[in-house]
Amino acid sequence: MIQLKNVNLSYSKHEPVLKNIDLNIPEGKTTVIMGESGSGKTSLLKLIIGLLKPDTGQIMIASKDITRAKGRTLAKIRHSMAMVFQNGALFDSLKVWENLGLPLREQQRASIRRIRKEAEKLLERLGLEGTSEMMPSELSGGMRMRVAIARALISKPRILLYDEPTSGLDPVMSDNICEIILDLEQRENVTSVLVTHQLMTALRVGTHFVMLHDGEIIFQDSAERLLESDDPHVQEFVRSGLEVEKRGSALRYLGERLAVPGALPSGLLSMT
Ligand SMILES: Nc1ncnc2c1ncn2[C@@H]1O[C@H](COP(=O)(O)OP(=O)(O)OP(=O)(O)O)[C@@H](O)[C@H]1O
Ligand SMILES: [Mg+2]
């Protein structure tokens, strides 16, 4: 579905940010891109959606090279994709439904009536009914991310790119976002590419796993291979991901116990 061949990218005259990237993203599945901060994950998504041009290499989207496409062909390829940006990137001065309407206005010059109808349908589907007239600042982090997903979905893309959709969210909300991503994959056969720092999010939604380190792909395979890999950077990612999960479960457990008066010894309570 998406193929990158020998892609290199640098911003101005700096060190290359992505080096010799060869990547195959299968159709109708969720490919997860992992890697530490600054390893080039967001840059990779921006290359795929055509917001950046590589210095060298090919980026094939359904057999068309987006790096060479122009005019209408380029617009058509772009409209088959949508990106959910890191932190949602909603326009704070626009109401929720107006945020959702932006892609429809840009791509199809849709009427206000149609935009509101489509927006409300999607908001309901993502558990956000009643938020259409609200401003983004009135929403929680999890709600903002769901609005950002709704905005990406409104133009019915075949390819969805998510940049850290669960970062900063609590475990329940992260789960909820993962379910939405899985539901889209299963019901609509959307091809997803998801960037995350979080091992659990990766394992929950991914079928194909890619790890970047210093702008290079150091791993590209299944979940089983990821967990067994002997690459030190992959091992470190898995180890610290499991630590975070263990700490999260412990805190959840403690929270449940604290809800029952007298359930914990007072010494432990004073530590919390
Ligand atoms: N517009 C830009 N101009 C110059 N350098 C940039 C620009 N955007 C990103 N970079 C640099 O490119 C490298 C990769 O950045 P990128 O945002 O792709 O990383 P990332 O893996 O998404 O990081 P994070 O996990 O923090 O979001 C970093 O060193 C960053 O400083
Ligand atoms: Mg990023």
Side-chain angles (χ1 to χ4, degrees):
M1 183 69 173
I2 305 173
Q3 240 185 344
L4 281 78
K5 292 184 199 157
N6 194 27
V7 166
N8 286 278
L9 171 77
S10 50
Y11 290 101
S12 61
K13 292 186 190 90
H14 293 101
E15 263 274 283
V17 165
L18 290 168
K19 297 168 234 172
N20 307 321
I21 301 289
D22 283 311
L23 178 61
N24 276 316
I25 293 173
E27 187 170 359
K29 303 259 164 55
T30 300
T31 297
V32 175
I33 300 179
M34 302 162 293
E36 60 217 24
S37 196
S39 56
K41 306 180 297 296
T42 299
S43 304
L44 186 59
L45 292 189
K46 286 183 176 167
L47 279 173
I48 293 173
I49 204 163
L51 287 174
L52 291 174
K53 271 208 184 302
D55 304 336
T56 65
Q58 278 187 325
I59 301 173
M60 312 297 292
I61 311 289
S63 320
K64 295 206 176 67
D65 188 350
I66 194 167
T67 65
R68 285 159 193 263
K70 289 198 181 77
R72 272 202 197 167
T73 318
L74 178 62
K76 211 170 148 206
I77 306 174
R78 278 216 180 128
H79 293 170
S80 69
M81 298 187 266
M83 180 157 165
V84 179
F85 288 90
Q86 213 160 350
N87 302 317
L90 298 178
F91 287 93
D92 286 331
S93 57
L94 299 180
K95 290 179 179 172
V96 165
W97 74 268
E98 291 169 329
N99 263 286
L100 259 66
L102 287 174
L104 287 188
R105 274 195 98 60
E106 273 169 21
Q107 293 171 19
Q108 304 166 14
R109 305 198 187 287
S111 70
I112 300 276
R113 205 166 136 249
R114 192 179 137 219
I115 288 175
R116 286 187 93 116
K117 208 169 136 214
E118 290 282 326
E120 270 161 27
K121 213 163 72 186
L122 266 175
L123 289 170
E124 200 180 315
R125 178 167 168 198
L126 297 188
L128 291 164
E129 51 276 37
T131 58
S132 172
E133 294 292 328
M134 290 167 89
M135 302 304 285
S137 59
E138 297 174 85
L139 306 175
S140 73
M143 289 163 95
R144 290 169 70 95
M145 190 45 78
R146 279 181 287 160
V147 171
I149 296 176
R151 181 175 65 186
L153 288 177
I154 206 158
S155 48
K156 301 192 170 58
R158 301 308 307 148
I159 298 171
L160 262 170
L161 312 177
Y162 301 89
D163 198 353
E164 305 266 11
T166 59
S167 88
L169 303 182
D170 69 34
V172 174
M173 191 43 71
S174 290
D175 263 6
N176 176 286
I177 301 280
C178 289
E179 268 161 34
I180 291 170
I181 294 167
L182 284 170
D183 182 62
L184 283 168
E185 183 198 298
Q186 282 154 10
R187 281 211 295 194
E188 296 181 21
N189 201 35
V190 171
T191 301
S192 309
V193 186
L194 182 141
V195 161
T196 186
H197 273 106
Q198 292 160 313
L199 179 68
M200 288 305 144
T201 297
L203 294 176
R204 186 101 204 273
V205 299
T207 36
H208 188 59
F209 298 82
V210 177
M211 183 161 296
L212 283 174
H213 179 72
D214 271 350
E216 286 181 280
I217 292 182
I218 56 164
F219 176 88
Q220 187 172 178
D221 212 321
S222 64
E224 290 76 18
R225 291 269 168 83
L226 179 83
L227 298 174
E228 287 166 6
S229 166
D230 48 19
D231 181 287
H233 300 293
V234 177
Q235 282 184 347
E236 174 56 23
F237 176 82
V238 171
R239 195 194 53 75
S240 63
L242 291 174
E243 279 294 304
V244 169
E245 177 60 13
K246 258 197 293 188
R247 234 179 309 139
S249 319
L251 286 173
R252 273 203 295 284
Y253 173 75
L254 202 56
E256 282 162 22
R257 298 298 300 264
L258 284 173
V260 183
L264 284 173
S266 55
L268 196 54
L269 274 177
S270 64
M271 286 164 57
T272 59

